[in-house]
């Protein structure tokens, strides 16, 4: 808070001092609001920047006033001042500098503590993130191994199925080869039988031609008798 002596002195000085007084009063108000704000909020960061900027601006103005007082102290009468007035002004600028310096140090200390706290939070977050990453990698590794085992089992089953299909195909091939041999043998026998039948037909035709009509009748009778005999032998005995 601004002291009563500081306020009274300010009002008894020139307008330049009044401007600085108003700025210091605003600085103190902002500083009290900064103290009541949580350090992990955006408003806290904004107020910190605002306070440091205000401190820098006020300190620069106080420096300029001190330079002016130093020049006036060389010839006070020329500037219409006396030693008492110069002492008051020096005391006022010193008090203003102390108040601004107190605010600056408090803000810088709070900023450092906030940064340290933020660093600790970040470190903990990074630690948790690292642990989460390790857990995730371990989980992914286990999942990949499980998938690989499942794929190996599926490949084994597929290999067994292929072997079974290959065995069935080989069996079918062997059966087809056997059927082909049987068909070839049957075709050969049919061809042989056909040749024999042609030969018999030709011989019969030659015999029929040589025998004439009587011979053909006798042959027919002979065949009928032979058929009857064979029928009796087959069906009646």
């Amino acid at each position: 808070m601004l002291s009563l002596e500081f306020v009274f002195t300010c009002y008894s000085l020139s307008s330049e001092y009044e401007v600085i007084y108003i700025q210091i009063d605003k600085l103190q108000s902002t500083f009290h609001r900064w103290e009541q704000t949580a350090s992990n909020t955006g408003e806290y960061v904004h107020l910190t920047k605002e306070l440091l900027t205000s401190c820098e601006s006020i300190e620069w103005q106080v420096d300029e006033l001190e330079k002016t007082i130093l020049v006036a102290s060389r010839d006070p009468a020329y500037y219409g001042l006396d030693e008492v007035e110069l002492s008051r002004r020096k005391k006022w600028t010193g008090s203003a500098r102390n108040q601004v310096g107190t605010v600056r140090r408090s803000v810088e200390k709070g900023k450092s503590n906030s940064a340290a706290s933020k660093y600790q939070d970040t470190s903990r977050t990074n630690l948790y993130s690292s642990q989460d990453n390790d857990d995730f990698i371990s989980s992914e590794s286990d999942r990949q191994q499980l998938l690989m085992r499942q794929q190996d089992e599926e490949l084994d089953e597929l290999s067994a199925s292929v072997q079974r299909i290959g065995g069935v195909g080989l069996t079918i091939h062997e059966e087809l080869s056997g059927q082909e041999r049987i068909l070839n043998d049957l075709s050969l026998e049919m061809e042989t039988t056909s040749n024999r039948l042609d030969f018999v037909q030709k011989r019969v035709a030659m015999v029929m031609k040589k025998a004439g009509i009587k011979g053909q009748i006798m042959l027919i009778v002979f065949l009928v008798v032979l058929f009857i005999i064979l029928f009796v032998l087959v069906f009646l005995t």
Side-chain angles (χ1 to χ4, degrees):
M1 295 293 294
L2 300 178
S3 63
L4 293 176
E5 181 181 1
F6 178 80
V7 175
F8 176 77
T9 304
C10 177
Y11 279 108
S12 64
L13 297 175
S14 63
S15 59
E16 295 179 357
Y17 293 84
E18 293 178 4
V19 171
I20 297 176
Y21 164 76
I22 293 173
Q23 292 180 357
I24 292 176
D25 184 62
K26 182 180 178 181
L27 178 69
Q28 293 284 1
S29 176
T30 304
F31 177 69
H32 292 321
R33 187 152 57 97
W34 175 83
E35 289 180 320
Q36 298 173 358
T37 304
S39 61
N40 57 350
T41 61
E43 183 181 4
Y44 181 87
V45 176
H46 175 73
L47 292 175
T48 299
K49 293 180 180 179
E50 181 179 347
L51 286 171
L52 293 176
T53 302
S54 298
C55 288
E56 184 177 356
S57 175
I58 295 172
E59 286 176 343
W60 179 83
Q61 295 180 65
V62 171
D63 288 339
E64 294 299 317
L65 285 178
E66 288 180 341
K67 292 178 182 179
T68 302
I69 293 172
L70 180 61
V71 172
S73 64
R74 296 173 183 172
D75 190 2
Y78 178 79
Y79 296 98
L81 301 174
D82 54 18
E83 293 297 332
V84 176
E85 182 65 21
L86 288 174
S87 177
R88 288 176 57 201
R89 296 194 177 196
K90 289 180 180 179
K91 184 177 180 181
W92 188 92
T93 54
S95 177
R97 182 180 295 279
N98 289 335
Q99 293 185 64
V100 175
T102 300
V103 172
R104 174 189 283 275
R105 287 189 295 272
S106 298
V107 173
E108 289 178 346
K109 182 178 179 180
K111 182 179 179 181
S112 300
N113 293 336
S114 176
S117 176
K118 184 176 181 181
Y119 174 77
Q120 292 176 355
D121 293 340
T122 303
S123 299
R124 286 194 295 269
T125 301
N126 292 336
L127 178 61
Y128 295 149
S129 298
S130 178
Q131 292 176 350
D132 292 341
N133 290 335
D134 292 340
D135 294 339
F136 175 76
I137 292 173
S138 177
S139 176
E140 283 296 313
S141 177
D142 294 339
R143 191 171 69 87
Q144 291 295 334
Q145 291 179 358
L146 178 61
L147 289 176
M148 291 178 65
R149 286 197 297 270
Q150 291 178 350
Q151 290 176 355
D152 291 339
E153 293 175 356
E154 292 176 356
L155 288 175
D156 292 338
E157 293 178 357
L158 181 60
S159 177
S161 299
V162 171
Q163 290 178 357
R164 288 194 297 270
I165 293 173
V168 172
L170 182 60
T171 302
I172 293 174
H173 175 71
E174 292 176 353
E175 291 181 356
L176 290 176
S177 298
Q179 293 293 333
E180 184 179 5
R181 287 193 297 270
I182 293 173
L183 290 174
N184 291 333
D185 294 340
L186 181 60
S187 177
L188 181 60
E189 290 179 0
M190 290 181 64
E191 184 177 358
T192 302
T193 303
S194 177
N195 292 333
R196 290 177 180 178
L197 183 60
D198 290 340
F199 177 75
V200 171
Q201 288 178 350
K202 290 179 181 179
R203 293 295 299 272
V204 170
M206 290 176 63
V207 171
M208 294 291 290
K209 186 176 180 180
K210 290 180 180 180
I213 298 299
K214 292 182 179 181
Q216 293 177 2
I217 293 173
M218 292 297 294
L219 181 60
I220 292 171
V221 172
F222 173 76
L223 291 175
V224 170
V225 173
L226 180 62
F227 174 75
I228 293 171
I229 294 171
L230 292 174
F231 180 80
V232 172
L233 292 175
V234 173
F235 293 100
L236 298 180
T237 59

